[in-house]
Amino acid sequence: MNISAKDYDYIWHPYTHQLHRHEAIAITDGKGALLFDEEGNEYIDGISSWWVNVHGHGNKFIAKKIYAQAKKLQQVIFTSFTHKPAVALAEKLLSILPGNPGKIFYSDNGSTATEVALKMCLQYWVNKGEPARKKIIAFENAYHGDTFGAMSISQRGTYTDAYRDKLFEVLFIPLPKGQNLEQIAQLIDQRTDLAGFIYEPLLLGAGGMKMYEAKHFDNLLRIVRGKKLLLIADEVLTGFYRTGKMFASERMHTKPDIICLSKGLTGGTMALGVTSCTAEVHEAFLSADKTKTLFHGHSFTANPLACTAANASLELFAGEKYPGRIEKLVKHNMKFASRLTAFAEQGIIKDVRQCGTVLAFEVQTKE
């Protein structure tokens, strides 16, 4: 069976130009950092399968946990029902997430995690009797997903042009630097309709691996918090040690009110999204008025298998050796970044930058 040929005939791949597309590489196995195709060729999974695989392919510990759960309960509707893996995961996340999270809301991927966060934020102000607060602040070059709300708070461009008139207006601001904080503060001070600020802390992933300093960002967060806006940290990419800390928000003194998680949450095994919120945010939805309910859900909300995988992944992270491994990787990246400066001086590469376990640079091309 030629998997690639059949794939070409039957499947529409994401972000793929359809007219002159090539056959996709058929992957049959994965082990550690490596992938293997149907012809036995070996590939280094340098993008961690879209930044989701944090423990390596074929992790036996996670696989055994999923198998054991699959024999007991694979799925149950998560409205009037619950189950142990979801409760255990929520308890663990609330104990390690930065700030003072009070509740966990489950969904099924990073984009829906940000959609939930937006709905929480906007309805928070409606429930509080301030419906005029409906404008969201986001960073220029941000990316938060491909559903409509997530597209609205992401950088406008080729990916969103076809839907431009369907997206809601957002106040886009530049990344914080020492010299532009006053200008950003003035932009915010002029508005009375602001509801919240969503951001990828310290690292903009799909927007070009753009990095910015924690101290300037902390000053910006204080400014926004002073306007009593809700702070939403999109940690879908930055969570689980990408920036050297378990969560990038740990590097700032000002903590978010809402946090979005996905990608590495399950160790790269299956889809799961999480949106946490503080008790203060949740309290805005406690009312005898049923219209103040957060009307949002997914068929596979808090899927027991996905929650089990996430619990297993967090158990691995909690191991004694993990912080040391991350520290070693960060130091290795710092040394590698310093070595790359020689290539920058030769005009081969440019803009070498590093944030925790992430190292990025641009290849210098002829104009």
Side-chain angles (χ1 to χ4, degrees), residues 171 183-194 227:
L171 175 61
Q183 179 185 2
I184 297 174
Q186 290 175 355
L187 278 175
I188 296 172
D189 283 337
Q190 294 170 3
R191 308 293 291 260
T192 59
D193 58 348
L194 299 176
K227 295 288 289 183

Side-chain angles (χ1 to χ4, degrees), residues 254-308:
T254 306
K255 306 303 183 187
D257 303 289
I258 298 172
I259 301 175
C260 307
L261 301 174
S262 190
K263 290 194 181 292
L265 177 62
T266 66
T269 56
M270 54 186 64
L272 183 65
V274 156
T275 307
S276 73
C277 71
T278 61
E280 180 184 357
V281 172
H282 180 253
E283 285 169 7
F285 295 82
L286 297 176
S287 173
D289 183 354
K290 293 184 179 180
T291 65
K292 291 188 175 182
T293 301
L294 179 63
F295 293 108
H296 191 99
H298 301 268
S299 298
F300 284 92
T301 292
N303 172 258
L305 299 179
C307 289
T308 296

Side-chain angles (χ1 to χ4, degrees), residues 20-308:
H20 300 297
R21 67 193 188 279
H22 301 285
E23 284 190 359
I25 299 169
I27 299 299
T28 59
D29 298 280
K31 184 176 182 180
L34 300 178
L35 296 168
F36 304 90
D37 69 16
E38 57 185 338
E39 296 179 355
N41 295 311
E42 184 178 291
Y43 304 84
I44 296 174
D45 189 4
I47 198 171
S48 304
S49 293
W50 235 333
W51 306 321
V52 304
N53 196 298
V54 291
H55 303 295
H57 295 282
N59 187 282
K60 292 182 179 180
F61 179 77
I62 297 178
K64 288 179 179 178
K65 295 286 188 178
I66 294 173
Y67 174 68
Q69 179 60 43
K71 292 190 294 181
K72 297 174 62 177
L73 176 68
Q74 299 90 17
Q75 169 64 11
V76 63
I77 186 173
F78 205 68
T79 49
S80 299
F81 297 93
T82 190
H83 49 80
K84 184 177 179 179
V87 174
L89 178 57
E91 185 176 19
K92 288 180 182 178
L93 289 172
L94 292 175
S95 70
I96 63 174
L97 283 169
N100 296 295
K103 293 288 182 180
I104 295 294
F105 193 102
Y106 289 110
S107 58
D108 52 8
N109 62 62
S111 185
T112 54
T114 59
E115 292 283 347
V116 171
L118 289 174
K119 291 174 77 170
M120 279 184 181
C121 176
L122 296 173
Q123 191 174 344
Y124 170 86
W125 292 111
V126 171
N127 288 1
K128 297 277 284 186
E130 298 186 57
R133 282 183 174 260
K134 54 187 176 183
K135 196 73 67 181
I136 301 295
I137 303 174
F139 278 137
E140 296 169 355
N141 298 304
Y143 173 80
H144 296 286
D146 292 335
T147 47
F148 270 85
M151 283 194 296
S152 294
I153 53 175
S154 300
Q155 177 69 44
R156 303 294 197 270
T158 302
Y159 287 5
T160 60
D161 277 345
Y163 327 105
R164 184 176 291 269
D165 64 334
K166 306 296 190 299
L167 307 180
F168 59 76
E169 184 185 345
V170 171
L171 175 61
F172 288 104
I173 61 175
L175 294 179
K177 300 176 182 178
Q179 64 270 26
N180 69 358
L181 284 175
E182 185 176 346
Q183 179 185 2
I184 297 174
Q186 290 175 355
L187 278 175
I188 296 172
D189 283 337
Q190 294 170 3
R191 308 293 291 260
T192 59
D193 58 348
L194 299 176
F197 173 32
I198 188 166
Y199 52 86
E200 298 166 88
L202 304 183
L203 172 67
L204 272 63
M209 304 308 283
K210 298 182 183 297
M211 302 173 188
Y212 57 100
E213 294 185 34
K215 64 178 182 179
H216 298 316
F217 186 45
D218 216 2
N219 289 332
L220 174 59
L221 291 177
R222 290 192 190 100
I223 292 170
V224 177
R225 175 59 58 75
K227 295 288 289 183
K228 301 192 184 303
L229 278 66
L230 294 183
L231 302 178
I232 307 170
D234 180 353
E235 295 248 21
V236 170
L237 166 66
T238 58
F240 308 106
Y241 289 110
R242 292 288 182 192
T243 66
K245 294 286 188 180
M246 185 65 161
F247 302 102
S249 295
E250 293 177 34
R251 296 190 179 276
M252 279 66 69
H253 293 291
T254 306
K255 306 303 183 187
D257 303 289
I258 298 172
I259 301 175
C260 307
L261 301 174
S262 190
K263 290 194 181 292
L265 177 62
T266 66
T269 56
M270 54 186 64
L272 183 65
V274 156
T275 307
S276 73
C277 71
T278 61
E280 180 184 357
V281 172
H282 180 253
E283 285 169 7
F285 295 82
L286 297 176
S287 173
D289 183 354
K290 293 184 179 180
T291 65
K292 291 188 175 182
T293 301
L294 179 63
F295 293 108
H296 191 99
H298 301 268
S299 298
F300 284 92
T301 292
N303 172 258
L305 299 179
C307 289
T308 296

